Amino acid sequence: MHARITLFALGVVSLAVVSLYPTLQFPSSAQVSTFIGPRVWPLTLLIVLFTLGIILLAITWRDRKQALVSEPQTTPDTSAETAPASSRFSLGRTRHWWFIAAAVAYTLLMQSVGFLIASLIFTFIGTLLLGARSWMTIAITLVIAAVLMQGVFVSLLGIPMP
């Protein structure tokens, strides 16, 4: 289990590092007419992504060391192969991959339907993946997300939505 999380954390850190160069190619606020330039938001996300990836990596390594010290080595009889098939492929165990797929779909969908609609669809899917089951909770989340996106980008920052 630690190996999978370590690979995922390394992938997240690698994605942040690889995405840094194209992000720095965006114009800064000094080069555009808006208060905050197009570079600020992706750069902020990359910094957060890199930081959280490093934290996940550190926590995984710490937990692995603690597990090696506190538990004897497992035998092949107690490996993950004996786990029931339903627990190996549950939504909870693959949720992070669904989020990555949703983010890719969000990026592709944004080009065809626009920022606001694609963001609301992504918010809906993200809310479901995080475990919300009440339609009232989902509806409130979507309304708040739409108001925040419209209010922050258009009204507060003066950045028109694509």
Side-chain angles (χ1 to χ4, degrees), residues 29 32-38 115 147-162:
S29 59
V32 295
S33 62
T34 58
F35 178 67
I36 294 178
F115 175 76
V147 169
L148 284 176
M149 283 183 263
Q150 187 71 22
V152 169
F153 287 110
V154 176
S155 302
L156 184 64
L157 297 175
I159 300 172
M161 287 197 197

mmCIF file of all heavy atoms in Angstrom, residues 29 32-38 115 147-162:
data_model
loop_
_atom_site.group_PDB
_atom_site.id
_atom_site.type_symbol
_atom_site.label_atom_id
_atom_site.label_comp_id
_atom_site.label_asym_id
_atom_site.label_seq_id
_atom_site.Cartn_x
_atom_site.Cartn_y
_atom_site.Cartn_z
ATOM 1 N N SER A 29 0.649 40.073 -14.143
ATOM 2 C CA SER A 29 -0.313 41.177 -14.008
ATOM 3 C C SER A 29 0.230 42.469 -14.596
ATOM 4 O O SER A 29 -0.541 43.334 -15.008
ATOM 5 C CB SER A 29 -0.686 41.370 -12.539
ATOM 6 O OG SER A 29 0.475 41.647 -11.779
ATOM 7 N N VAL A 32 -0.833 42.582 -18.439
ATOM 8 C CA VAL A 32 -2.237 42.599 -18.830
ATOM 9 C C VAL A 32 -2.953 43.729 -18.106
ATOM 10 O O VAL A 32 -2.402 44.371 -17.228
ATOM 11 C CB VAL A 32 -2.933 41.248 -18.525
ATOM 12 C CG1 VAL A 32 -2.345 40.135 -19.368
ATOM 13 C CG2 VAL A 32 -2.845 40.901 -17.065
ATOM 14 N N SER A 33 -4.205 43.944 -18.452
ATOM 15 C CA SER A 33 -4.952 45.066 -17.877
ATOM 16 C C SER A 33 -5.744 44.700 -16.625
ATOM 17 O O SER A 33 -6.448 45.535 -16.096
ATOM 18 C CB SER A 33 -5.907 45.628 -18.933
ATOM 19 O OG SER A 33 -6.833 44.629 -19.301
ATOM 20 N N THR A 34 -5.625 43.476 -16.158
ATOM 21 C CA THR A 34 -6.369 43.078 -14.964
ATOM 22 C C THR A 34 -5.505 43.240 -13.722
ATOM 23 O O THR A 34 -4.277 43.319 -13.799
ATOM 24 C CB THR A 34 -6.832 41.611 -15.064
ATOM 25 O OG1 THR A 34 -5.691 40.785 -15.244
ATOM 26 C CG2 THR A 34 -7.811 41.429 -16.207
ATOM 27 N N PHE A 35 -6.156 43.281 -12.564
ATOM 28 C CA PHE A 35 -5.458 43.455 -11.290
ATOM 29 C C PHE A 35 -4.544 42.276 -10.998
ATOM 30 O O PHE A 35 -3.421 42.435 -10.551
ATOM 31 C CB PHE A 35 -6.488 43.638 -10.168
ATOM 32 C CG PHE A 35 -5.884 43.767 -8.801
ATOM 33 C CD1 PHE A 35 -5.114 44.866 -8.465
ATOM 34 C CD2 PHE A 35 -6.083 42.780 -7.851
ATOM 35 C CE1 PHE A 35 -4.546 44.986 -7.213
ATOM 36 C CE2 PHE A 35 -5.522 42.893 -6.590
ATOM 37 C CZ PHE A 35 -4.759 43.996 -6.270
ATOM 38 N N ILE A 36 -5.031 41.073 -11.248
ATOM 39 C CA ILE A 36 -4.250 39.852 -11.058
ATOM 40 C C ILE A 36 -4.107 39.187 -12.421
ATOM 41 O O ILE A 36 -5.095 38.937 -13.103
ATOM 42 C CB ILE A 36 -4.933 38.894 -10.060
ATOM 43 C CG1 ILE A 36 -4.947 39.530 -8.674
ATOM 44 C CG2 ILE A 36 -4.227 37.560 -10.028
ATOM 45 C CD1 ILE A 36 -5.625 38.707 -7.624
ATOM 46 N N GLY A 37 -2.890 38.902 -12.811
ATOM 47 C CA GLY A 37 -2.633 38.337 -14.128
ATOM 48 C C GLY A 37 -3.013 36.877 -14.238
ATOM 49 O O GLY A 37 -3.266 36.195 -13.239
ATOM 50 N N PRO A 38 -3.024 36.357 -15.462
ATOM 51 C CA PRO A 38 -3.393 34.958 -15.698
ATOM 52 C C PRO A 38 -2.425 33.952 -15.076
ATOM 53 O O PRO A 38 -2.746 32.788 -14.940
ATOM 54 C CB PRO A 38 -3.366 34.831 -17.219
ATOM 55 C CG PRO A 38 -3.368 36.204 -17.746
ATOM 56 C CD PRO A 38 -2.827 37.093 -16.693
ATOM 57 N N PHE A 115 -16.362 28.152 -19.077
ATOM 58 C CA PHE A 115 -15.814 27.993 -17.735
ATOM 59 C C PHE A 115 -16.879 27.695 -16.690
ATOM 60 O O PHE A 115 -16.746 26.765 -15.905
ATOM 61 C CB PHE A 115 -15.040 29.260 -17.355
ATOM 62 C CG PHE A 115 -14.535 29.255 -15.949
ATOM 63 C CD1 PHE A 115 -13.434 28.506 -15.609
ATOM 64 C CD2 PHE A 115 -15.159 29.998 -14.963
ATOM 65 C CE1 PHE A 115 -12.946 28.497 -14.314
ATOM 66 C CE2 PHE A 115 -14.689 30.002 -13.671
ATOM 67 C CZ PHE A 115 -13.575 29.251 -13.344
ATOM 68 N N VAL A 147 -21.987 31.262 -7.371
ATOM 69 C CA VAL A 147 -21.925 32.634 -6.860
ATOM 70 C C VAL A 147 -20.478 33.037 -6.596
ATOM 71 O O VAL A 147 -20.063 34.160 -6.933
ATOM 72 C CB VAL A 147 -22.791 32.773 -5.586
ATOM 73 C CG1 VAL A 147 -22.536 34.086 -4.877
ATOM 74 C CG2 VAL A 147 -24.266 32.635 -5.941
ATOM 75 N N LEU A 148 -19.699 32.146 -5.997
ATOM 76 C CA LEU A 148 -18.296 32.458 -5.715
ATOM 77 C C LEU A 148 -17.492 32.653 -7.002
ATOM 78 O O LEU A 148 -16.691 33.595 -7.101
ATOM 79 C CB LEU A 148 -17.660 31.365 -4.861
ATOM 80 C CG LEU A 148 -18.035 31.371 -3.389
ATOM 81 C CD1 LEU A 148 -17.413 30.170 -2.682
ATOM 82 C CD2 LEU A 148 -17.589 32.659 -2.722
ATOM 83 N N MET A 149 -17.685 31.779 -7.979
ATOM 84 C CA MET A 149 -16.944 31.918 -9.235
ATOM 85 C C MET A 149 -17.305 33.214 -9.937
ATOM 86 O O MET A 149 -16.426 33.950 -10.396
ATOM 87 C CB MET A 149 -17.214 30.717 -10.151
ATOM 88 C CG MET A 149 -16.468 29.477 -9.746
ATOM 89 S SD MET A 149 -16.745 28.134 -10.872
ATOM 90 C CE MET A 149 -18.029 27.260 -10.018
ATOM 91 N N GLN A 150 -18.579 33.494 -10.026
ATOM 92 C CA GLN A 150 -19.026 34.724 -10.676
ATOM 93 C C GLN A 150 -18.566 35.939 -9.877
ATOM 94 O O GLN A 150 -18.062 36.906 -10.437
ATOM 95 C CB GLN A 150 -20.555 34.717 -10.813
ATOM 96 C CG GLN A 150 -21.109 35.856 -11.605
ATOM 97 C CD GLN A 150 -20.805 35.759 -13.083
ATOM 98 O OE1 GLN A 150 -20.538 34.694 -13.616
ATOM 99 N NE2 GLN A 150 -20.831 36.889 -13.754
ATOM 100 N N GLY A 151 -18.726 35.887 -8.574
ATOM 101 C CA GLY A 151 -18.382 37.028 -7.736
ATOM 102 C C GLY A 151 -16.891 37.302 -7.690
ATOM 103 O O GLY A 151 -16.463 38.447 -7.819
ATOM 104 N N VAL A 152 -16.087 36.261 -7.529
ATOM 105 C CA VAL A 152 -14.649 36.468 -7.405
ATOM 106 C C VAL A 152 -14.027 36.866 -8.739
ATOM 107 O O VAL A 152 -13.317 37.872 -8.820
ATOM 108 C CB VAL A 152 -13.955 35.204 -6.835
ATOM 109 C CG1 VAL A 152 -12.447 35.302 -6.956
ATOM 110 C CG2 VAL A 152 -14.361 34.994 -5.389
ATOM 111 N N PHE A 153 -14.288 36.094 -9.783
ATOM 112 C CA PHE A 153 -13.608 36.359 -11.045
ATOM 113 C C PHE A 153 -14.143 37.596 -11.767
ATOM 114 O O PHE A 153 -13.375 38.439 -12.215
ATOM 115 C CB PHE A 153 -13.678 35.138 -11.970
ATOM 116 C CG PHE A 153 -12.789 34.018 -11.528
ATOM 117 C CD1 PHE A 153 -13.328 32.855 -11.019
ATOM 118 C CD2 PHE A 153 -11.415 34.138 -11.591
ATOM 119 C CE1 PHE A 153 -12.506 31.826 -10.607
ATOM 120 C CE2 PHE A 153 -10.587 33.121 -11.173
ATOM 121 C CZ PHE A 153 -11.128 31.951 -10.677
ATOM 122 N N VAL A 154 -15.448 37.714 -11.886
ATOM 123 C CA VAL A 154 -16.013 38.809 -12.674
ATOM 124 C C VAL A 154 -16.137 40.084 -11.854
ATOM 125 O O VAL A 154 -15.657 41.144 -12.253
ATOM 126 C CB VAL A 154 -17.378 38.386 -13.269
ATOM 127 C CG1 VAL A 154 -18.016 39.540 -14.007
ATOM 128 C CG2 VAL A 154 -17.201 37.191 -14.193
ATOM 129 N N SER A 155 -16.761 40.004 -10.702
ATOM 130 C CA SER A 155 -17.021 41.210 -9.931
ATOM 131 C C SER A 155 -15.790 41.720 -9.183
ATOM 132 O O SER A 155 -15.447 42.905 -9.269
ATOM 133 C CB SER A 155 -18.144 40.955 -8.925
ATOM 134 O OG SER A 155 -19.315 40.533 -9.601
ATOM 135 N N LEU A 156 -15.119 40.853 -8.444
ATOM 136 C CA LEU A 156 -14.018 41.289 -7.582
ATOM 137 C C LEU A 156 -12.726 41.520 -8.378
ATOM 138 O O LEU A 156 -12.093 42.567 -8.230
ATOM 139 C CB LEU A 156 -13.783 40.247 -6.489
ATOM 140 C CG LEU A 156 -12.738 40.583 -5.446
ATOM 141 C CD1 LEU A 156 -13.176 41.817 -4.643
ATOM 142 C CD2 LEU A 156 -12.537 39.418 -4.509
ATOM 143 N N LEU A 157 -12.338 40.571 -9.202
ATOM 144 C CA LEU A 157 -11.068 40.681 -9.929
ATOM 145 C C LEU A 157 -11.194 41.319 -11.299
ATOM 146 O O LEU A 157 -10.194 41.708 -11.881
ATOM 147 C CB LEU A 157 -10.435 39.279 -10.076
ATOM 148 C CG LEU A 157 -10.065 38.584 -8.775
ATOM 149 C CD1 LEU A 157 -9.570 37.181 -9.065
ATOM 150 C CD2 LEU A 157 -9.035 39.385 -8.010
ATOM 151 N N GLY A 158 -12.396 41.416 -11.804
ATOM 152 C CA GLY A 158 -12.595 42.013 -13.120
ATOM 153 C C GLY A 158 -12.095 41.160 -14.275
ATOM 154 O O GLY A 158 -11.746 41.663 -15.322
ATOM 155 N N ILE A 159 -12.047 39.853 -14.051
ATOM 156 C CA ILE A 159 -11.586 38.927 -15.097
ATOM 157 C C ILE A 159 -12.823 38.311 -15.752
ATOM 158 O O ILE A 159 -13.597 37.614 -15.092
ATOM 159 C CB ILE A 159 -10.698 37.815 -14.509
ATOM 160 C CG1 ILE A 159 -9.474 38.424 -13.840
ATOM 161 C CG2 ILE A 159 -10.294 36.819 -15.582
ATOM 162 C CD1 ILE A 159 -8.626 37.419 -13.071
ATOM 163 N N PRO A 160 -13.041 38.566 -17.037
ATOM 164 C CA PRO A 160 -14.211 37.967 -17.695
ATOM 165 C C PRO A 160 -14.060 36.455 -17.814
ATOM 166 O O PRO A 160 -12.968 35.950 -18.052
ATOM 167 C CB PRO A 160 -14.227 38.636 -19.064
ATOM 168 C CG PRO A 160 -12.823 39.093 -19.286
ATOM 169 C CD PRO A 160 -12.220 39.356 -17.944
ATOM 170 N N MET A 161 -15.166 35.752 -17.637
ATOM 171 C CA MET A 161 -15.132 34.296 -17.767
ATOM 172 C C MET A 161 -15.098 33.915 -19.235
ATOM 173 O O MET A 161 -15.789 34.516 -20.042
ATOM 174 C CB MET A 161 -16.359 33.679 -17.103
ATOM 175 C CG MET A 161 -16.304 33.713 -15.619
ATOM 176 S SD MET A 161 -17.489 32.556 -14.972
ATOM 177 C CE MET A 161 -17.605 33.112 -13.315
ATOM 178 N N PRO A 162 -14.305 32.894 -19.546
ATOM 179 C CA PRO A 162 -14.256 32.431 -20.950
ATOM 180 C C PRO A 162 -15.535 31.734 -21.353
ATOM 181 O O PRO A 162 -16.258 31.232 -20.564
ATOM 182 C CB PRO A 162 -13.075 31.474 -20.963
ATOM 183 C CG PRO A 162 -12.741 31.162 -19.563
ATOM 184 C CD PRO A 162 -13.378 32.189 -18.702
#
